[in-house]
Structures are given as structure tokens and as C-alpha cells.
Amino acid sequence: MNTPTHLSRRAFIGSVAPLAGLPLLGSWPYPSFATEKFTVGAIIESIMKEVDGAPFPRTVDQLRTGKLDQEVTGIVTTMFPTMDVIQKTADLGANFIIAHETPFYNNNDETDWLQNDTAYLHKMELIQKHKIAIWRFHDYWHRHKPDGIIMGNLIKLGWEKHYDPNTPRLLTLPKSMPIRAIADLAKNKLGISTVRIVGNLKQECTRIYLAFGYMDSRMQIAAIDQYKPDLILSGETREWETIERVRDGQQMGLNTSIMVLSHAVSEEAGMEYAAQWLQPKVPGMKITHIPSTNPFTFY
């Protein structure tokens, strides 16, 4: 998701274990050069120090599995902590996944209704077998300045120099680009096989509104009226809301088009960037980004 939701059932408990100052012991298939031990809680605390107003009283960014005092042998960043990502994490010898989105199929990670669900039970068995801690890094990453997901995408697209902190979601290109060229750039740099577009592929664009992940349609539609962008870069949106507003606007002769990238791949670059951003805060710790990839097959 794109916009912080603050809908979790409990506030983050900010207890952490102290750094022990001892060599890191892990089961990595490559050498570890860490000189300190890090716990899950200590790493979370170091992240929150970089975010204004943290810890938030209400947030979906909770430790979903594992314990705060658990010693970390390695970190994996990802979009969705799929079973494939969990297994690859274990294969690396890592035991801490920092994921942007929910592991349990709903925003608040409520699990009462999943107690008889075969996929949930299998996933929990896999997590427990490998003693994997999973922390969701959603609201804090979006509230970081600059927004970590946006910046990760801009770096991949080569647009980071055009970022304006005064209008963080509105990008103004120094030279216009046709929608077709923007689509080709996004597919090439973000690893997207297919995009969906409402608009003319030849339309020249200078003002681009960034709505990676999921954004409520009311926010997107309000942005159309406020910023009058040439193009909305959207992760996902309900087809019967923003899509139809864009189509009606075009039939009136208005200029805003929309390009739908798909949720996971529209924010993956932001979590790849998170791995690079976090590395100096845990010197010597091996951090790996494992993409959860696009779940869809296009036929």
C-alpha cells in the first residue's frame, strides 16, 4: 500500500535488547564481517530514529512473527513475505525479513479467521521451522523523508534529480516524454512485463503524479483536480473508481492519463532501496533484497 493506514490493533512496543559487542555467529554460505550482535528490536529502533514522530501510536508496522530480543543472523528486504521469500531467506541463513506488505492476506494481519486455512497454516509452519522474524516496514517507510518507496523508484527510473520535497508526489520532468516511452522505461527499469494505460500512447507528459502501491481513489481523484497531472503512475486502483474518472475526463477533453503498473512491482524498488539505506545502520550485517515478483501471468 502507498498511504500510511494506522489501523493496527496494538501499538509498537519499543523494547530492545542491548548490543552485545560480540562477533556475529550465523550460518551464511559466505563470510560474515559483523563485529556486533544485533537483535530484531535494536534494528527496528535504529530505523525508527530516522522517522519523524516515531514510534506512531497506531501503525500496521508491527513485529508479526519472532521476538524483539531475537539475535539476527541476516536481513532480507522484500515487498511481500511470500513462502518462496521465506524459504530463500532460510536458505541464506538469514532470520529477519523486513517486508513492506502483509504476510497474512489482510492489512492488520488478523489471523483469527485463518486458523483453518491451509496456506496460512503451512506458512506459519515454515516460519516457525526456520525461526523467521517478520517485521512490516510500511507506514514508517512512507513517512520517512523522502518517502522510501518513491525515492527507490525514482532512483531506478533515473528521475531522482527531479524530486521536489515541496511536492513529493508530483514529478516535473525537464523535457516531456510520450506515454509510450514512459511505459518502456518503467517496464525496463522496474522489471514490469506489462502495464495498463488509459490514454493516448503518443501523449507528451511533463507532470507525473506518483501513486505507487495502492492509493485510495478519493486521493487520486483529488490529485487530478489539484495538480492536473499529465499522467498518474499507479500501482493499483479499483477499475470502477479512478479509472472511470480518468476516462470521463478524457472524454471531456482533459489531459490526465493513468498507467497501472501492478502493486508488488510498483513498490519493489523501494524495498530494494531500503536494503541499501539500512546497511550503514547495521555494519557488517548481510542484507539481501529478495523480490517477491509479480504474482500474475499475462496471457
Side-chain angles (χ1 to χ4, degrees):
M1 290 189 182
N2 199 296
T3 307
T5 55
H6 312 292
L7 293 175
S8 70
R9 295 169 292 165
R10 60 192 186 277
F12 174 76
I13 302 172
S15 60
V16 298
L19 298 179
L22 298 174
L24 179 69
L25 299 177
S27 54
W28 295 92
Y30 34 70
S32 172
F33 302 99
T35 57
E36 295 178 310
K37 289 182 178 180
F38 294 94
T39 62
V40 168
I43 293 169
I44 293 172
E45 184 180 64
S46 70
I47 290 172
M48 292 199 301
K49 286 179 179 178
E50 304 293 325
V51 181
D52 291 344
F56 303 152
R58 292 175 64 82
T59 174
V60 297
D61 293 5
Q62 306 291 341
L63 187 63
R64 296 308 186 186
T65 66
K67 298 179 180 179
L68 290 172
D69 62 359
Q70 180 173 330
E71 183 183 333
V72 176
T73 60
I75 301 171
V76 163
T77 64
T78 193
M79 258 299 292
F80 286 89
T82 65
M83 283 190 275
D84 184 56
V85 169
I86 292 166
Q87 185 60 58
K88 288 179 178 178
T89 298
D91 292 343
L92 284 172
N95 67 347
F96 186 24
I97 296 175
I98 298 177
H100 190 61
E101 294 293 9
T102 165
F104 300 131
Y105 324 125
N106 67 103
N107 193 42
N108 292 329
D109 282 310
E110 296 169 344
T111 59
D112 294 348
W113 62 290
L114 292 169
Q115 294 308 304
N116 295 316
D117 182 80
T118 53
Y120 165 76
L121 294 173
H122 183 79
K123 194 171 198 177
M124 283 303 301
E125 182 180 354
L126 187 64
I127 290 168
Q128 292 167 0
K129 174 184 176 181
H130 296 293
K131 298 180 174 60
I132 304 292
I134 300 176
W135 182 61
R136 191 169 174 193
F137 187 27
H138 182 276
D139 295 353
Y140 291 121
W141 200 213
H142 280 304
R143 288 281 290 275
H144 180 268
K145 296 180 181 178
D147 180 311
I149 295 295
I150 288 177
M151 186 52 60
N153 275 309
L154 294 183
I155 291 170
K156 280 279 191 178
L157 294 168
W159 288 349
E160 68 273 19
K161 293 181 180 179
H162 312 316
Y163 175 81
D164 184 350
N166 296 312
T167 54
R169 290 195 179 279
L170 184 67
L171 194 74
T172 302
L173 300 178
K175 183 179 180 180
S176 67
M177 294 178 64
I179 289 178
R180 184 188 299 275
I182 295 172
D184 289 340
L185 180 68
K187 289 165 67 176
N188 180 42
K189 297 297 185 179
L190 301 180
I192 301 173
S193 60
T194 303
V195 300
R196 294 183 295 163
I197 297 166
V198 179
N200 186 334
L201 293 178
K202 296 180 180 179
Q203 177 190 335
E204 294 287 333
C205 300
T206 301
R207 295 165 62 83
I208 301 175
Y209 187 77
L210 307 174
F212 302 120
Y214 172 79
M215 180 183 288
D216 183 81
S217 60
R218 295 193 179 200
M219 293 181 64
Q220 289 185 333
I221 291 169
I224 294 173
D225 289 322
Q226 180 179 357
Y227 298 111
K228 297 178 173 55
D230 301 314
L231 179 66
I232 299 172
L233 274 185
S234 172
E236 70 169 289
T237 182
R238 295 187 181 100
E239 294 184 16
W240 45 276
E241 295 179 346
T242 306
I243 298 298
E244 289 305 312
R245 167 60 180 82
V246 168
R247 179 156 66 169
D248 280 348
Q250 290 182 345
Q251 290 177 359
M252 291 170 56
L254 303 180
N255 198 44
T256 298
S257 298
I258 188 168
M259 184 184 301
V260 182
L261 307 174
S262 195
H263 192 132
V265 289
S266 78
E267 295 190 290
E268 194 75 71
M271 291 310 292
E272 182 178 357
Y273 173 58
Q276 303 166 15
W277 174 84
L278 179 59
Q279 187 66 78
K281 301 172 183 19
V282 283
M285 178 67 67
K286 181 67 177 182
I287 304 178
T288 306
H289 176 72
I290 300 178
S292 56
T293 70
N294 198 330
F296 298 105
T297 297
F298 298 92
Y299 176 73

